[in-house]
Amino acid sequence: MFKKVLIAEDFQDTNAGIVSALSNKLNIHELQEELYCDKAFNRIKVAHSNGVPFELLITDLLFKENHVDRKLTSGVDLIKAVKTIQPSIKIIVNSMEDNPSKVKSLFKEQNIDGYVCKGRHSLNELTAAILEVYQDNTYLSPQINMTSNQNVIELEEFDISILTELANGLSKKEIAEKFKQNNMTPNSESTIDKRVSKLFDDFGAKNTTQLIAILTKDGLI
Amino acid sequence: MFKKVLIAEDFQDTNAGIVSALSNKLNIHELQEELYCDKAFNRIKVAHSNGVPFELLITDLLFKENHVDRKLTSGVDLIKAVKTIQPSIKIIVNSMEDNPSKVKSLFKEQNIDGYVCKGRHSLNELTAAILEVYQDNTYLSPQINMTSNQNVIELEEFDISILTELANGLSKKEIAEKFKQNNMTPNSESTIDKRVSKLFDDFGAKNTTQLIAILTKDGLI
DNA sequence: CAACCCCTTACAGATATCTGTAAGGGGTTG
DNA sequence: CAACCCCTTACAGATATCTGTAAGGGGTTG
């Protein structure tokens, strides 16, 4: 079993729940916890340079802001930073995110080893995930697969750019101008019109306002 | 100290964290937990009719959907149901919600005794809250007061109706017609125009799309 | 290379949005 | 009760949104 594991999770109650469950169920020699990404990163860096590296990082994705200044503000930031100094470390993400395309991108882009979706079986899943990852396998929360039919529509980067600007209150004409200034292509107002109209069909929206409401609620923008 | 306490919280890890912390810190004789609102309600009902009622309910606000059919789908539903059979029970809400006006309405409308905001000090706060509530005082998470300057703008019910319909893709003309059909007043397109323009000022939005994006992100609609 | 599809772009026309002006009604204040 | 404020409503005019048509360019297929 892993001998040295770090948990990064900003909710004290969740953090405590994970620690107590893992202490009881698995024989992990050293189980440490942090409430901040920056502190978690430092701990991994120090352990690594002292020749006693962590073998597994269990991290949340969202970390609440507070008065403390932060360099690393999210789980993804933390993962990227950790991978630069210790690429071989195993990583399990434990979060409430249940959007399949977002979770899939964690595996694809951040190269994580396991994903556990917070819910009524988190702790059982987390134990299973640790056992799988220890065997060099990956683990994906079954909750993610179940809902995977819902969000088949993948947004292209270009669509996201348009949607983000619309949510920021720019008109389509202004978006076209901005794209031209930044040498992004395509950039005609007509094309932007067409793209947005296509998204109306994809998401069943009647107009821009409803489209942005739907996508914001789904967390896609 | 309270002798009989029930925890309603759907995240297994958070649930476990609360139970282990309270077992260690407070001398509560009977500490039970439930992952579903309906089950929590049944447990309270049975205990009450058996003459061994719970004295304190600690509940989350949001409970995840899954394949199980649910009558009570939120913490507020649960609180309302519990109060009908046992109005004297003490209630502490433990949730991630940090919008001051939403939290204040829990005290005002649901008559709760304490509010703890999930975060880096949840467990310490929860312990403090239980001690306060046991003394017949109320408890409010300090995190809520700190952010209270941000959301001073209170949305009227009329504004919310308009915004909800806009997010559903209705045009202002359609909203005016719907209001007239439902005998809601005021209901002219012009008034709706004016109200929405006022909200642009209040929230710093340039158009309807941005306004809906802002309010959806804030969880106000 | 002709036929085809898909994307981009321009343009036109019908609606919708947004802002400003003005009139009137109800309530409050001096 | 006159002066005032605030809200509602109507209306007008400038823009913005949305849909549809059409032309052209690049890539693929037979």
Side-chain angles (χ1 to χ4, degrees), chain A residues 6-11 15 33-44 57 59 62-75 78, chain B residues 119-121:
Chain A
L6 181 65
I7 295 158
E9 159 68 58
D10 62 335
F11 285 0
N15 207 318
E33 46 179 318
E34 280 296 351
L35 296 165
Y36 295 88
C37 288
D38 289 314
K39 289 192 176 178
F41 176 64
N42 281 337
R43 204 174 265 267
I44 286 174
L57 167 65
T59 181
L62 295 176
F63 288 77
K64 257 197 180 178
E65 262 185 291
N66 62 4
H67 53 94
V68 178
D69 266 349
R70 306 184 300 170
K71 279 182 208 155
L72 307 173
T73 58
S74 72
L78 174 61
Chain B
R120 295 190 177 84
H121 311 286

Side-chain angles (χ1 to χ4, degrees), chain A residues 139-161:
Chain A
Y139 180 91
L140 176 62
S141 203
Q143 296 180 60
I144 302 302
N145 285 323
M146 288 192 324
T147 54
S148 68
N149 305 328
Q150 293 171 7
N151 281 299
V152 276
I153 304 148
E154 296 264 339
L155 289 174
E156 289 176 35
E157 205 176 326
F158 181 62
D159 296 323
I160 303 232
S161 302

Side-chain angles (χ1 to χ4, degrees), chain A residues 171-173 194 197 200 207-208:
Chain A
S171 72
K172 288 168 180 173
K173 187 183 280 184
K194 288 278 177 291
S197 293
F200 291 171
N207 53 37
T208 308

Side-chain angles (χ1 to χ4, degrees), chain A residues 11-14 64 96, chain B residues 7-11 14 18 57-63 74-76 79 91-99 102-103 106-107 112 114-123 125-126 129 139-144:
Chain A
F11 285 0
Q12 194 188 13
D13 42 15
T14 307
K64 257 197 180 178
M96 7 188 336
Chain B
I7 296 159
E9 159 69 57
D10 63 335
F11 285 0
T14 308
I18 295 175
L57 166 66
I58 299 171
T59 181
D60 195 359
L61 290 179
L62 294 176
F63 288 77
S74 72
V76 171
I79 293 168
I91 292 179
I92 295 175
V93 173
N94 177 241
S95 161
M96 5 187 341
E97 179 64 61
D98 58 4
N99 182 313
K102 289 204 170 187
V103 172
L106 288 173
F107 281 96
I112 66 170
Y115 188 85
V116 173
C117 185
K118 287 184 187 179
R120 295 190 177 84
H121 311 286
S122 317
L123 291 178
E125 284 191 18
L126 190 56
Y139 180 91
L140 176 62
S141 202
Q143 296 180 61
I144 303 301

